[in-house]
Structures are given as C-alpha cells and as structure tokens.
Amino acid sequence: MSNLFIIGNGFDLAHGLPTSYEHFHQYLVNNYPESLEKEPSFNIEGITTPNGGIKFDDDELVAFIVEVISAAEEDGENWCDIERNLGLLDFSRYLSDMSYLYGHEQDDNAFSRSIHRYEDVSGNFHLAMLEVKSLFSRWVTSIDTSEVLDKISFHNLIHPEEDTFLTFNYTNVLEEVYGAIDVNHIHGSQREKIVIGHGETYRDSSEQYTGSEYSLMKLHDALRKNTEEIIEKENCFFSSLQNIDKIYSHGFSFSKVDLPYIKEICNRLDTRNIIWYLNDYDSKEKICNYINTIMDCGFQGRFSIFGLD
C-alpha cells in the first residue's frame, strides 16, 4: 500500500517561495514599472509583426491587464484568486467610455459604425488579455528554488520512491528537494507549458454593446481551464492510482475549478477504507469546509489530521 499526496500552493509558500497570486501582481509591477504611469483605456491596440502576430506595448499591456484583473478581485489590488477572476472579467467600463465618446452621432449609419467599433475594441481586449498567460509563464519561470531547504517533518512523512504525488504547483521542489519520483504536475511546471484558467460559466455583461459579444465570449472560453481534457490526457496517471490507503492534502485549497480532479480520484479509487489527512495549519472551520467538499466529490472514507513543523 502507498500514499497519495495532493500538493497545492500552500506547500511552496511554506517553503518560503514567492508563489502567491499577489507575488505575480508584484512581479508585473516591478518588472514593468512604467506601466504605473499608463492610463488604461478602450483604445489599447497592438501592431502587426512581420510574422503576422500582434505585439502590444509592454507597459500599456501590463497596465491594462492589472487594472482589469484588479477590478475583478474582491480585494482590489490584493490579488488572491486570479484563476476564478479570469472568468469574471468585466470590460463594460471601457465600452461605456467609448460609447460616451461617440454618443453624439445621430446619423443613419451611427449604429452600424458603433457595431464595428465594439467589434474592433473587444477584439483588442481579447488579444491583450490572452497575454496574461505568457506573462504568468514568465513569472513562474523566474521563481528561484535553488535555496529551498527541506522540512524535516515532511521529509519524515513521505516515502519519496514509493508514494504518489499530484501537485498543482509549477516548481520542482518535490523532485529537487525531497527526491520524489512519481510526481504529476497536473498543470505543467517551470520551463514547460503551464495551465492557468477559470471554471466560471459565461456572464454576458456586454449585451448593450452590440458587436462586442463574440470576442468577449471567445476570450472567456480561451481563459477557461479545460479540466475534462486534462483528465483525459492524464488518464494513465489516474489509472495508476491503485493500492492507496492514505491521502494527504497539503497546501491545497479545494477551489471550485480544480474539484473535477478530486472527483476523478474518488471515482477511480474504492475510498471506503482510505483515510484522508488534512493539514492542521488550516482553521477548524476551513477543515470542516474541506471535509464537506471532499465528501461531495464522492469520498466515502474517514478523515484525520496531520501536522508539520
């Protein structure tokens, strides 16, 4: 019998790594300081490169992305849940500004021109916001893990050559620091293609701006995390989950967008005789919420608590 460890970002944070979404926010501000002087507006527009791509001014792009994401965050500029908020982006302020600018037009072709304008600017919103993936990947690659030290309590808990690790982190701390062998980076890892995205249903907040709907819906779909496709791609991993008698979740927040993976684990295993261990770092209230979430995913076993120094 072996153990399955489900590792989330709290694990990397506990090892002193700057891997929170707010760290990504600060990375953007620190690496593109002139973006702070830019005033984002509806007229963000890239130029066509010789190879047919679109290139935005870096500072204008970062200023636009930061403002749009911050507006979606519950705590404004303190970024806590980018993935969820990528599904809640609202461009109505920019569209409203453009509508006001051209609102004086009253001739017979005014409505037709407004449709084309909304199509153009929403198309630019789509292209600009897609760049968040590239920026996020650059940030992930920049995270230095060379000084990370192991935690003795975790080192003593695991069997690196026998246990299975499902990690939602992009760093290679498990392999490089703890010598773990069977590690699945379900969303990719540093210097490889990474996955980031939301799990929200589409909210059409632009119905009054005819012409913008297609590009904004296209953007919403492009920023969605396709968990079904990922699970299918990782079928070999999920099929290999056998003889598991203990599951440990460490630093994992059980966000809505990632619950399909937990459901898949519960579907693949006979969980009736499995013990799921939750980290005592979290509050009792949060642990209770996690337990209810795990049970809703189909887990039928028992729960316990583990602690780490």
Side-chain angles (χ1 to χ4, degrees), residues 1-3 164 237-245 268-269:
M1 306 298 284
S2 62
N3 304 323
T164 299
F237 169 79
F238 289 106
S239 296
S240 71
L241 296 179
Q242 300 177 11
N243 300 320
I244 301 292
D245 62 347
R268 297 285 185 137
L269 294 171

Side-chain angles (χ1 to χ4, degrees), residues 88-152:
L88 303 175
L89 303 179
D90 185 2
F91 300 93
S92 58
R93 183 181 76 81
Y94 305 102
L95 296 170
S96 176
D97 287 347
M98 192 181 76
S99 177
Y100 177 80
L101 182 64
Y102 294 99
H104 64 280
E105 297 182 342
Q106 300 295 329
D107 60 89
D108 293 341
N109 295 320
F111 182 66
S112 176
R113 288 198 301 273
S114 73
I115 291 177
H116 289 302
R117 291 193 190 105
Y118 289 138
E119 287 176 345
D120 289 342
V121 297
S122 62
N124 289 332
F125 296 164
H126 169 236
L127 294 173
M129 286 307 302
L130 285 183
E131 293 298 313
V132 72
K133 292 186 176 183
S134 176
L135 291 167
F136 192 84
S137 181
R138 283 184 231 167
W139 166 65
V140 167
T141 301
S142 75
I143 297 170
D144 182 9
T145 62
S146 62
E147 301 297 323
V148 174
L149 300 176
D150 70 337
K151 292 187 173 294
I152 300 301

Side-chain angles (χ1 to χ4, degrees), residues 224-241:
R224 183 193 300 276
K225 184 188 294 182
N226 193 335
T227 52
E228 291 183 2
E229 182 178 281
I230 295 171
I231 289 172
E232 183 177 350
K233 177 183 175 183
E234 300 295 339
N235 180 62
C236 289
F237 169 79
F238 289 106
S239 296
S240 71
L241 296 179

Side-chain angles (χ1 to χ4, degrees), residues 194-231:
I194 64 172
V195 175
I196 180 175
H198 66 84
E200 300 296 316
T201 54
Y202 182 63
R203 301 182 315 153
D204 189 356
S205 59
S206 59
E207 59 273 1
Q208 60 181 307
Y209 305 109
T210 303
S212 67
E213 306 92 338
Y214 173 74
S215 289
L216 297 188
M217 185 178 296
K218 187 178 177 182
L219 171 63
H220 186 87
D221 290 342
L223 294 178
R224 183 193 300 276
K225 184 188 294 182
N226 193 335
T227 52
E228 291 183 2
E229 182 178 281
I230 295 171
I231 289 172

